[in-house]
Amino acid sequence: MKRDYIFFLSLGFLLLSAESALGQTASVYGISIDGIYALIVWFGIRVPMPEGLTPVLLLGIMAEGLTALHPGLYIGAYALAYLMVRYVVRHLLYTSMLHRILLVLFVSMNGTVIILAGGGHAELVWPWGVMQTVLNGCCAPFFLLFFNWLYDTIISQDEYSDTGTSNAHFRHKGNS
């Protein structure tokens, strides 16, 4: 379980740093590719409620350090996104890729409204916030597949790491 937290927080930090560093250079009219909500959906599907909320709150605190908006907006938006994902996942037997994309759209729209309205720019929700949400939904399959691949690659390397030693001493030597 701790590997999930470290993976989530590390990847979240990398996404936040990349989005902050690229800033306006990688955006068109303030709309840019944002993988944070896809990461929250991916994490929310994997990690159950009580223990999964703490890393999401920590990710919100990290995001707060990179913004000049009112304190608590990102923490609240990310926590609400995680809680919504957990609520939906609890009532579904299976979360297909379509469900995950719809979850990204839903939590992205809620988070965008919270951040824009809380920052005093509620008039930007339509059309710019909606376009940001649609872009997040279109990019969601790629992010979700990438997160699964990266997680499987890193965890499988951790669990089955090669020590670099030869296994020759375990081979059957036969009757000498």
Side-chain angles (χ1 to χ4, degrees):
M1 204 51 92
K2 291 184 184 197
R3 288 185 205 164
D4 293 342
Y5 303 159
I6 293 170
F7 179 82
F8 172 75
L9 290 173
S10 300
L11 195 55
F13 178 74
L14 289 174
L15 286 171
L16 287 172
S17 299
E19 291 170 14
S20 254
L22 295 175
Q24 294 299 320
T25 59
S27 69
V28 177
Y29 296 109
I31 300 169
S32 60
I33 295 175
D34 184 6
I36 294 295
Y37 290 108
L39 180 64
I40 292 172
V41 168
W42 179 86
F43 184 72
I45 290 171
R46 296 180 71 89
V47 180
M49 175 49 201
E51 55 268 353
L53 188 58
T54 303
V56 172
L57 293 173
L58 290 173
L59 182 67
I61 291 170
M62 284 192 281
E64 293 286 332
L66 300 172
T67 186
L69 293 175
H70 301 293
L73 288 177
Y74 283 94
I75 296 170
Y78 293 171
L80 183 63
Y82 175 77
L83 293 173
M84 285 189 285
V85 169
R86 285 308 309 161
Y87 179 80
V88 170
V89 168
R90 185 176 178 198
H91 291 56
L92 289 177
L93 294 175
Y94 173 72
T95 53
S96 67
M97 183 58 82
L98 177 62
H99 290 124
R100 294 171 190 192
I101 294 168
L102 292 173
L103 277 170
V104 170
L105 283 167
F106 184 65
V107 300
S108 176
M109 190 65 215
N110 287 328
T112 301
V113 168
I114 290 170
I115 291 167
L116 287 176
H121 300 289
E123 69 278 359
L124 296 178
V125 171
W126 175 260
W128 305 114
V130 173
M131 287 194 284
Q132 178 67 54
T133 299
V134 170
L135 181 63
N136 289 346
C138 291
C139 295
F142 303 108
F143 278 116
L144 294 170
L145 292 172
F146 174 70
F147 298 152
N148 281 334
W149 172 81
L150 189 62
Y151 182 81
D152 291 341
T153 302
I154 290 172
I155 295 304
S156 67
Q157 284 181 357
D158 285 346
E159 289 179 359
Y160 306 108
S161 63
D162 184 15
T163 58
T165 59
S166 171
N167 291 332
H169 61 281
F170 290 114
R171 291 191 195 126
H172 180 60
K173 297 185 180 177
N175 294 334
S176 325

